[in-house]
Amino acid sequence: MCPRDAAAWKRRKRTARRRAGYRGAFARAIILAAVGMALMFVGSVRLHAQAAKNLVGERVVQKSKDFNLHIDNALVDTKNSIYFFRVERIDGPSLLLKAEGCTLSGWASADTVVPVENAIDFFNIQILAHPVDSFPRMMRAKIWGHKKDFDKAIADYTEVIRLDPKSSVAYCGRGWIWARQNESD
């Protein structure tokens, strides 16, 4: 084999290996997404089972930034706010929620909220599935803050600010955590 043919053969072999590597990375990404979706489905099924039990009195948070409450056939937009809710009543697949710390209350579907005790796991999966979406990190930071795990909350708020530098909620949340730690600098 002449040197020119040997070089061409090596280039073809290198290109084939590189393409196989890309296919492997793509396959891993597909598998990770499928696992994430399966875990989300399991969490949703578990929430419906819990709603059937009795979530009355339990604390819940919204799953997505497109969360809305229904009050007397009117839709209340809560996109720019994040609340912890208490479940006051259950009517089939709907939950009557009351926001903690304010007078806001209304109905929401059980599949649009997650119990606070399961929220960290739920948002971990969301972060893996959507690494550039700042909302799951924001929710996880809020929950870490309420659990008084301030270092994790600050890390999540800082990551939200990196992903979305215009997020005033992240700056306020991080400032609130620093104030709780008496770190005014």
Side-chain angles (χ1 to χ4, degrees):
M1 180 181 295
C2 75
R4 191 174 70 195
D5 290 341
W9 180 77
K10 283 182 182 179
R11 275 194 307 274
R12 281 194 303 270
K13 192 172 182 179
R14 244 189 333 246
T15 302
R17 268 194 236 126
R18 233 183 268 137
R19 286 185 181 149
Y22 291 144
R23 281 192 297 264
F26 182 71
R28 284 190 299 275
I30 293 294
I31 290 169
L32 182 62
V35 167
M37 295 300 282
L39 289 173
M40 283 175 25
F41 175 73
V42 167
S44 176
V45 169
R46 185 172 28 186
L47 180 63
H48 284 293
Q50 284 179 338
K53 285 183 189 175
N54 193 1
L55 279 177
V56 174
E58 293 290 320
R59 295 177 78 207
V60 296
V61 293
Q62 64 198 54
K63 284 184 176 180
S64 72
K65 58 185 152 197
D66 298 327
F67 177 76
N68 293 308
L69 288 176
H70 300 274
I71 303 172
D72 297 328
N73 294 328
L75 195 63
V76 176
D77 184 13
T78 58
K79 288 181 184 170
N80 294 326
S81 303
I82 298 172
Y83 298 103
F84 284 83
F85 295 98
R86 287 251 181 226
V87 178
E88 298 215 327
R89 205 166 83 206
I90 299 173
D91 185 14
S94 298
L95 306 174
L96 178 61
L97 305 176
K98 176 157 183 10
E100 293 180 349
C102 69
T103 60
L104 180 66
S105 67
W107 291 91
S109 177
D111 61 353
T112 61
V113 296
V114 61
V116 171
E117 62 201 31
N118 301 336
I120 295 291
D121 294 334
F122 175 80
F123 290 116
N124 284 341
I125 293 167
Q126 290 295 310
I127 289 167
L128 285 174
H130 311 286
V132 295
D133 186 7
S134 63
F135 181 79
R137 286 186 194 277
M138 176 75 72
M139 292 302 294
R140 191 172 71 176
K142 294 274 285 181
I143 294 163
W144 285 132
H146 281 281
K147 288 186 174 198
K148 296 183 177 31
D149 196 339
F150 297 133
D151 293 334
K152 290 180 181 178
I154 287 174
D156 274 343
Y157 278 127
T158 302
E159 184 62 18
V160 170
I161 290 168
R162 187 189 70 75
L163 292 171
D164 184 10
K166 295 180 182 180
S167 174
S168 60
V169 176
Y171 285 106
C172 288
R174 189 171 67 173
W176 179 78
I177 296 293
W178 279 335
R180 294 280 311 259
Q181 292 184 306
N182 294 323
E183 300 226 7
S184 58
D185 293 342

